[in-house]
Amino acid sequence: MKRSSGARLGATAAVSVLSLALITGCSDSGSDDAENTEGSGSSSSSSAPAAKAATSAELEKLLLAQGDVKGYKVASGDDTLPKSKSAVKTDKAECNALAWATAGLAPGDTDANASNSVAEDKAATATAQPEDIADAFDINMTYVGLSSYDGDGAEKALKAVSDGVSACSGGYGLAAGGENSKVTKVAAGQGSGQGDESVAFSQGVDMDGEGTATFQTEVVRKGNTVATFYTVNFASLGSGKAAEVPAAVVEAQIAKLK
């Protein structure tokens, strides 16, 4: 069970998803008090938009829907992800933005947040054969979060993530859902180049003495909206192989943002 909490980096019952072999989505996530409004994005080339932040309801309509990405299944309503930032604690304040982004929560200071999940759709081709049942676990699931900000809040959110990647390179402690996990290292990754700026990073998570699992996250800003993408493959948790954030999912989601 502890392994699942480490894998989700903020989810409290990912094991239920694995045991049922069903792909479900993330719950709507409201955010509480946010810290770390400083940090650095990759390449901010435009000034902060003057538009007001969108509401959570408006963000829900901008999330990817079924049929938006060919070969992927979109789902929502999963109650296993934390609903607020108060449910995700780190032992280093500068690492908060990383943990929040990974949990589908807003990495910056805002109350406007929405999330869901997008997974490879293998169910359509699966049969009752044992090999197909095993293969059903070998699915890349991406948790997508959207958040919106007033003024230059979105740029500050990206900066918080970028600064966190550097400040937390040596790892940090994470508490969520009454369980503790240890992120052993954080490393900068290659962003997709989508949106106005993006930050990508990988995190190594201790699997309770059974090795380290590596997970990829990308955070993209388009205007005053920030999209977070965190991908996990339950079948490869013990292999040390990281599941890549699908480019098709990132591109399709950013294309829907205003």
Side-chain angles (χ1 to χ4, degrees), residues 83-105:
K83 296 181 184 300
S84 69
K85 293 178 180 179
S86 61
V88 181
K89 303 289 187 181
T90 72
D91 61 0
K92 296 180 181 178
E94 56 269 36
C95 305
N96 284 346
L98 305 185
W100 292 335
T102 302
L105 297 167

Side-chain angles (χ1 to χ4, degrees), residues 4-18:
S4 64
S5 67
R8 292 286 295 273
L9 292 178
T12 61
V15 68
S16 64
V17 179
L18 179 59

Side-chain angles (χ1 to χ4, degrees), residues 24 40 97 109 118 156 182 192 204 241:
T24 55
S40 136
D109 188 2
V118 183
K156 289 181 177 179
K182 175 62 179 177
S192 65
K241 180 181 178 181

